């Protein structure tokens, strides 16, 4: 019987495998194992994958079997000496992927021109606390500081949304001209004569 990697359980698992297979900052072993799965999905056979990745067929078979049985977590190290990683590469990828999603509490204009949010009680923008909470909702036990380190390691940056600056509502009135007219105007400072060291 020909051994192949089973199809991804869902689009999220497939996306993580593809992302890790070409990742530059993930552990080399995990990248190689995801590449094995990716090549198997592309129709490559075990001997071809082993030749491409310059490893033994036994190694390819072991990791394809583990993926088929345990999914992404099966591609993590089997254990041994040293401190075990608290968050797997698959979980790190899911946390990074959250940043690309629209926060559940963000209001968006619908085709009917009505404003609607998936979860009005949810965060309207991603913060470290909101990302940590969303990760915990996915079953990933992670702290705010861990989320920050993961995003910094991946080079992920985002800016806070400034929703008050613009509106598509025709009746929306922008802010007036500056502050109150009662604010005293600062008098111009005394200018000193220009000097030149060349003279």
């Amino acid at each position: 019987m020909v051994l192949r990697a089973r199809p991804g359980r869902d689009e999220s698992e497939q996306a993580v495998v593809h992302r890790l297979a070409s990742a530059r900052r993930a552990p080399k072993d995990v990248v190689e194992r995801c590449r094995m799965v990716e090549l198997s999905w592309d129709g490559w056979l075990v001997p071809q994958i082993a030749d491409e990745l310059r490893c033994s067929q036994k190694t390819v078979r072991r990791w394809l079997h583990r993926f088929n049985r345990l999914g992404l977590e099966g591609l993590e190290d089997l254990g041994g000496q040293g401190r075990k990683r608290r968050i797997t590469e698959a979980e790190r990828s899911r946390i990074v992927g959250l940043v690309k999603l629209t926060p559940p509490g963000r209001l968006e204009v619908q085709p009917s021109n009505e404003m609607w949010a998936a979860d009005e009680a949810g965060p309207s923008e991603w913060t470290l606390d909101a990302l940590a909470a969303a990760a915990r909702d996915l079953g990933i036990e992670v702290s705010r500081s861990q989320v920050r380190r993961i995003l910094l390691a991946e080079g992920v940056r985002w800016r806070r949304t400034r929703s008050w600056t613009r509106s598509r509502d025709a009746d929306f009135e922008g802010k007036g001209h500056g502050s109150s007219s009662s604010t005293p105007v600062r008098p111009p400072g005394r200018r000193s004569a220009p000097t030149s060291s060349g003279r």
Side-chain angles (χ1 to χ4, degrees), residues 180-195:
S180 167
S181 58
S182 64
T183 304
V185 177
R186 183 177 175 190
R190 184 179 170 191
R191 291 187 177 181
S192 58
T195 59

Side-chain angles (χ1 to χ4, degrees), residues 75-87:
L75 301 181
E76 294 291 325
D77 286 326
L78 297 171
Q81 297 181 355
R83 181 178 171 187
K84 184 179 179 182
R85 290 182 70 107
R86 293 174 63 186
I87 298 178

